[in-house]
Amino acid sequence: MGDDAKQDPAEVENLRQLLHHRRQLQENLSTLESQIYAKEASYLEDTKQWGNILHGWDGYISSRNRNEEKKHKKLKDSERLFSYSSCSAPHAHVQEEKEHKEKERERERESRDDERIEKKKRKRKNRTPSPVDDDDDDEDFDGG
């Protein structure tokens, strides 16, 4: 601020209180997001055998024990529907970055494919067609 501007002590104190309150809210949000992440993992692990809201409840219907086949499967990021619903969660940003990188890779693949197609088109276009006229060639060889 310039020399002419004076700071009102009440406004400065109000700003300090607001910043302090903001930090508390951010900490609370972070704590809640961590709890959701942990509880979600617990829910998904505990319900593998019988089913859950993400995968359905086929385990209740099926007579075979699906616990052994699913026991060793690790949770996928795509299964974390609740955790990733918060855009401010740290792990949500990891998922966003993965998706962004995958989109970038796909664009690069498409670009390379386009370049290959264009290169092939240019090669075909630059090829000079060889004249094929068998009748004229035969006359030359016959001595005619």
Side-chain angles (χ1 to χ4, degrees), residues 97-144:
E97 287 176 20
K98 287 180 182 178
E99 290 172 0
H100 178 72
K101 286 179 183 177
E102 183 57 36
K103 287 179 184 177
E104 285 295 317
R105 277 183 250 154
E106 183 62 30
R107 283 190 210 118
E108 288 173 6
R109 277 185 238 130
E110 289 174 359
S111 177
R112 284 193 303 265
D113 290 345
D114 290 345
E115 287 174 10
R116 288 181 193 136
I117 291 170
E118 287 300 317
K119 190 175 180 179
K120 286 181 181 180
K121 284 181 182 178
R122 284 191 300 265
K123 278 185 179 179
R124 287 182 191 146
K125 190 176 182 179
N126 292 336
R127 274 193 235 156
T128 55
S130 58
V132 180
D133 191 2
D134 292 343
D135 294 339
D136 292 340
D137 291 341
D138 288 342
E139 290 176 10
D140 291 337
F141 287 112
D142 290 335

Side-chain angles (χ1 to χ4, degrees), residues 47-98:
T47 59
K48 275 185 183 179
Q49 179 179 3
W50 304 111
N52 57 46
I53 196 166
L54 297 176
H55 298 288
W57 286 271
D58 292 338
Y60 283 113
I61 299 169
S62 176
S63 60
R64 66 182 194 177
N65 187 352
R66 296 167 23 130
N67 192 29
E68 289 302 317
E69 67 187 50
K70 289 192 169 191
K71 199 174 207 176
H72 302 291
K73 283 189 178 180
K74 196 174 184 179
L75 282 179
K76 297 176 187 172
D77 287 337
S78 61
E79 293 177 319
R80 293 196 171 273
L81 178 68
F82 303 107
S83 297
Y84 291 144
S85 65
S86 173
C87 63
S88 62
H91 43 273
H93 297 294
V94 171
Q95 180 66 19
E96 288 174 6
E97 287 176 20
K98 287 180 182 178

Side-chain angles (χ1 to χ4, degrees), residues 29-43:
L29 178 61
S30 179
T31 301
L32 287 172
E33 288 171 340
S34 296
Q35 289 173 349
I36 290 170
Y37 188 84
K39 289 180 188 275
E40 180 180 45
S42 175
Y43 168 74

